[in-house]
Amino acid sequence: MTLYDKIPNNVDLSNDPKLQRALEKWLPNFLSWWNEMGPEGFQERDVYLRTAISVEPEGWAHFDYVKMPEYRWGIFLNPPREKAAIGFGDFYGAPAYQEVPGEFRNTLRRIVVTQGDTEPASVEQQRRLGSTCPSLYDLRNLFQVNVEEGRHLWAMVYILQKYFGRDGREEAEELLQRRSGDADKPRILGAFNQPCDDWLNFYAFTMFTDRDGKYQLASLAESGFEPLARTCQFMLTEEAHHMFVGESGLERIVKRTAELMKQTKNQSEDEVRALGGIPLSIIQRYINFWYSYSLDLFGGEISSNAADFFAAGLKGRYLEQKKYEDHVAAEGTYALSVVENGKLIPKDVPLRNALNEILRGEYVRDCERGLARWNRALEEEDSPVRLFLPSTRFHRHQGEYANHCFDLEGNLISKGEFESKAPDWLPGEEDRAYVRGLMRPVTQPGKIANWIAPPKSGVGGQPFDFEYVRL
Ligand code: BYC
C-alpha cells in the first residue's frame, strides 16, 4: 500500500514528493504515539466508526467497523475559493495568503502549534476511559472523538510540514513528545493538562472544552491564510459531533439523576447516592470546573496578541464574514470589568484588544443554550433544582481575573473566603472518588449503567442495542 492509499487526502499528496517524505517519516512516530498514548486496551477491537474519505457530504460520513490504529487518518481541506481575499484586519481585501507571509511566520506557527497541541492532548486525557464505559454506544462515541482528534492532529501537521519547512517538521515531532499533565513537558494550554479520568469529566470536557475548539476553529476558518482556513472549515464538521456527545451525555446524566430523585422520599442527595446516581451538586461542581478552565482557553480579556492576529488577517472573529460589516475594527472600544486597587471597575479597551473577550462572549451564549436544555430535562422530571453557569470571573487562571478570587456570582472575595467555599464550588477528592466508584464497565449491547439514561437514538443509522464495539 502506498502512502497515498494509506492517507486519504484531497491535497494531491501523490504529486508532492517532499510532503510525502515528511509525512512518511512522521507516520510511524504518530502510530507509536497512538499505541502508547491512545485508547488503552481497545486497539485490537473492531469499532463502528465514521471515517472521512472526502469532503463531499456522501464521502465524509462513511460508517464501518475499523480497528483504531488502522483508521484512515486523512488530510482534507474544504475546496479553495475563487479569488480568495483576506477578510479582515489591516490588509482587508488583499489576496489571501497562499504561502506563509514572512513577517507573520512565527505568529502563525505559534497559532497552528497551539491548535495542534490540543488534539493529541485530549486523546491522552481520555485514554483510560474505555475500561469504565457506561454502554457500547458511549464507548464507540469516545473512540470516534479520539480518532477524529487524531485526524485533527494530522490536519495541523499537514500545515506545519507543507508550509513551514524544517521548523514545521520539528514542531510536528514535538507535538508527539509533549504529554498531558507531565511536569516537565506539559501540553501548552491549561485545560489540556487537567485529568479527565471518569465519564462525568469526559462529558463536561466534550461539552465545554471541545466547544472552545468550535470557536477557535471558527475564528481560524476565517483566516487570510487560505490553507489554514480551508482545513479548519472541514474540522468544524467533525467538532459538531464531539459537542453533541458532551451536551447529550450530560443531559442523560442529569435526566437519570432526576429520575432517581423522583423515586426517593425527600429528594435528598443522600438518597440519590443510595440509589447509585450522581447528585446534582456534584454535576454542578464539574460544570464549574470545566467551564472555568475552558473560559481560560480564550486567553486574556485584554490581549495584544489577539489584536496582532486580527491586524495581520490571521485569526478573525466568530462568523466574521456573515455577522460583521466593518471588517477593519480599527476604531471603537469594548467595556470590560477589571480589578484595580482591590475593586472591580469598568474599563473601556480598544476593540481589537478585546477580541478574546468578544469570542468568549459568543461561547458563553452557546453554553447557556446547553444549560437551558439540561434544565428542561430537570423540569420534565419534576425536579425543583436548576443548573447554572458561574460568572466568567470565577476560578480563572488566565487574564484579568487570574490571581484574584471571585464567588460564583463574580463578586470579588478574599482568598480565605474562596478557600473555605471551594469544596461547595469545585469538585474535591471526595466527589471524584464517589464518581469514580460508580464507573463500572457495561459492555452488553443494549445495556446501560445505572447513573446515566440511555440515548434517544443510536448512531450511524443503528439502534442503541447495536454491537458498536466487538469485544
Ligand atoms: N493556558 O494574550 P493572551 C480544541 C498564554 S481547543 C495556558 O492572554 P492570546 C480542542 C498565551 O499562549 C482550541 N497558556 O492570549 C478542544 C500567551 O503565551 P505566550 C485550541 C495560555 O495569545 C477539545 C500568554 O498566555 N485552539 O481545538 O491572545 C479537544 C498571553 O496570552 C492560556 C486554539 O487555542 C491557557 N488557557 O490567546 C480537542 C487556537 N491562554 O505566547 C481540541 C490557537 C493564554 O506569551 N490559539 N495562554 O507564550 C490561540 O489563538 C491563542 O493562543 C489563545 C490565547 C486563544 C489560546
Side-chain angles (χ1 to χ4, degrees):
M1 191 187 269
T2 67
L3 189 66
Y4 175 76
D5 293 323
K6 225 174 185 171
I7 306 174
N9 71 91
N10 65 357
V11 295
D12 203 12
L13 195 56
S14 54
N15 284 318
D16 192 340
K18 201 168 157 207
L19 177 61
Q20 269 196 39
R21 265 199 306 280
L23 284 171
E24 264 169 26
K25 232 181 131 201
W26 189 77
L27 173 68
N29 298 346
F30 168 78
L31 285 176
S32 359
W33 167 81
W34 177 268
N35 285 321
E36 188 195 333
M37 296 311 293
E40 195 177 86
F42 293 87
Q43 303 276 8
E44 295 307 314
R45 304 295 173 200
D46 286 324
V47 187
Y48 193 66
L49 290 176
R50 174 180 77 171
T51 307
I53 48 175
S54 86
V55 296
E56 309 308 324
E58 66 278 9
W60 98 269
H62 175 84
F63 282 86
D64 207 348
Y65 282 107
V66 182
K67 291 187 185 24
M68 284 183 277
E70 290 162 20
Y71 185 76
R72 286 157 63 88
W73 323 93
I75 298 170
F76 296 105
L77 277 65
N78 268 20
R81 293 175 297 154
E82 243 176 77
K83 297 205 184 108
I86 298 173
F88 54 89
D90 291 349
F91 309 101
Y92 174 56
Y97 311 118
Q98 300 299 339
E99 294 293 331
V100 176
E103 66 273 42
F104 304 130
R105 186 183 171 84
N106 288 346
T107 314
L108 193 52
R109 192 182 62 212
R110 171 99 184 140
I111 293 177
V112 174
V113 167
T114 306
Q115 176 63 52
D117 191 69
T118 63
E119 317 291 0
S122 67
V123 173
E124 291 165 2
Q125 284 168 293
Q126 296 163 13
R127 64 188 291 256
R128 295 218 168 86
L129 290 171
S131 63
T132 56
C133 65
S135 74
L136 284 186
Y137 162 91
D138 291 282
L139 186 63
R140 176 250 166 238
N141 281 349
L142 166 71
F143 294 155
Q144 183 72 53
V145 169
N146 292 160
V147 291
E148 285 177 354
E149 300 303 6
R151 203 201 71 75
H152 289 183
L153 170 61
W154 274 83
M156 290 302 115
V157 163
Y158 161 74
I159 298 279
L160 288 169
Q161 294 193 334
K162 165 98 183 155
Y163 295 97
F164 287 89
R166 187 177 167 167
D167 43 339
R169 291 194 291 278
E170 283 167 10
E171 293 282 12
E173 286 304 326
E174 282 171 33
L175 285 171
L176 298 176
Q177 280 153 20
R178 285 185 288 272
R179 290 286 181 272
S180 174
D182 190 293
D184 299 324
K185 40 182 177 105
R187 291 295 174 183
I188 296 171
L189 300 173
F192 295 91
N193 289 304
Q194 299 301 319
C196 185
D197 49 5
D198 65 58
W199 284 76
L200 181 56
N201 272 319
F202 173 64
Y203 293 125
F205 182 95
T206 38
M207 166 73 191
F208 292 112
T209 308
D210 276 87
R211 197 170 304 274
D212 166 59
K214 166 181 166 184
Y215 285 87
Q216 299 298 338
L217 289 174
S219 303
L220 297 176
E222 302 282 341
S223 182
F225 179 50
E226 266 278 282
L228 180 63
R230 289 168 50 208
T231 193
C232 290
Q233 285 154 13
F234 186 64
M235 287 162 79
L236 275 167
T237 56
E238 291 163 322
E239 203 64 39
H241 174 69
H242 306 184
M243 289 178 297
F244 161 80
V245 168
E247 189 170 329
S248 62
L250 262 168
E251 184 184 7
R252 288 161 51 210
I253 298 180
V254 167
K255 180 174 162 31
R256 181 63 183 151
T257 298
E259 280 171 4
L260 292 172
M261 278 167 82
K262 253 207 260 193
Q263 297 171 19
T264 66
K265 207 162 141 224
N266 305 312
Q267 301 229 334
S268 73
E269 300 225 322
D270 286 346
E271 289 168 310
V272 170
R273 280 174 190 249
L275 293 175
I278 304 182
L280 290 173
S281 66
I282 295 187
I283 298 175
Q284 181 66 57
R285 287 195 279 279
Y286 274 61
I287 292 173
N288 298 345
F289 179 88
W290 283 107
Y291 177 63
S292 55
Y293 265 111
S294 304
L295 290 171
D296 280 338
L297 294 173
F298 290 82
E301 282 67 19
I302 306 173
S303 166
S304 58
N305 286 349
D308 293 345
F309 298 165
F310 185 85
L314 301 179
K315 183 178 175 190
R317 288 169 291 187
Y318 181 63
L319 302 180
E320 177 73 44
Q321 296 312 315
K322 260 196 215 146
K323 257 183 78 166
Y324 294 92
E325 281 183 4
D326 166 20
H327 296 295
V328 178
E331 282 157 26
T333 55
Y334 190 85
L336 274 174
S337 293
V338 298
V339 183
E340 261 176 40
N341 301 323
K343 279 207 182 91
L344 263 179
I345 57 155
K347 179 173 180 171
D348 285 335
V349 298
L351 194 58
R352 281 189 180 183
N353 290 71
L355 291 178
N356 286 345
E357 180 62 4
I358 292 172
L359 190 61
R360 190 169 14 241
E362 301 277 2
Y363 167 84
V364 169
R365 282 189 287 282
D366 197 3
C367 292
E368 279 166 353
R369 202 194 32 72
L371 262 287
R373 184 171 155 181
W374 304 337
N375 282 333
R376 267 197 307 281
L378 287 173
E379 209 177 325
E380 279 163 20
E381 299 299 330
D382 306 321
S383 165
V385 185
R386 295 292 174 265
L387 297 163
F388 58 89
L389 294 174
S391 160
T392 53
R393 294 193 280 274
F394 173 75
H395 190 237
R396 291 287 305 281
H397 300 81
Q398 295 290 329
E400 289 300 307
Y401 311 121
N403 305 317
H404 300 286
C405 294
F406 296 89
D407 64 14
L408 294 174
E409 284 82 40
N411 302 305
L412 199 54
I413 56 173
S414 69
K415 193 160 182 253
E417 201 179 338
F418 181 87
E419 279 167 3
S420 71
K421 296 277 175 54
D424 291 335
W425 293 343
L426 292 164
E429 200 27 61
E430 202 197 315
D431 293 334
R432 292 180 186 278
Y434 176 74
V435 174
R436 269 200 304 273
L438 294 179
M439 304 287 129
R440 283 183 293 265
V442 177
T443 52
Q444 251 177 300
K447 292 275 184 294
I448 185 98
N450 177 51
W451 50 268
I452 185 168
K456 291 196 181 95
S457 52
V459 69
Q462 304 294 348
F464 172 62
D465 62 5
F466 182 69
E467 191 178 11
Y468 288 105
V469 184
R470 291 185 181 140
L471 296 174

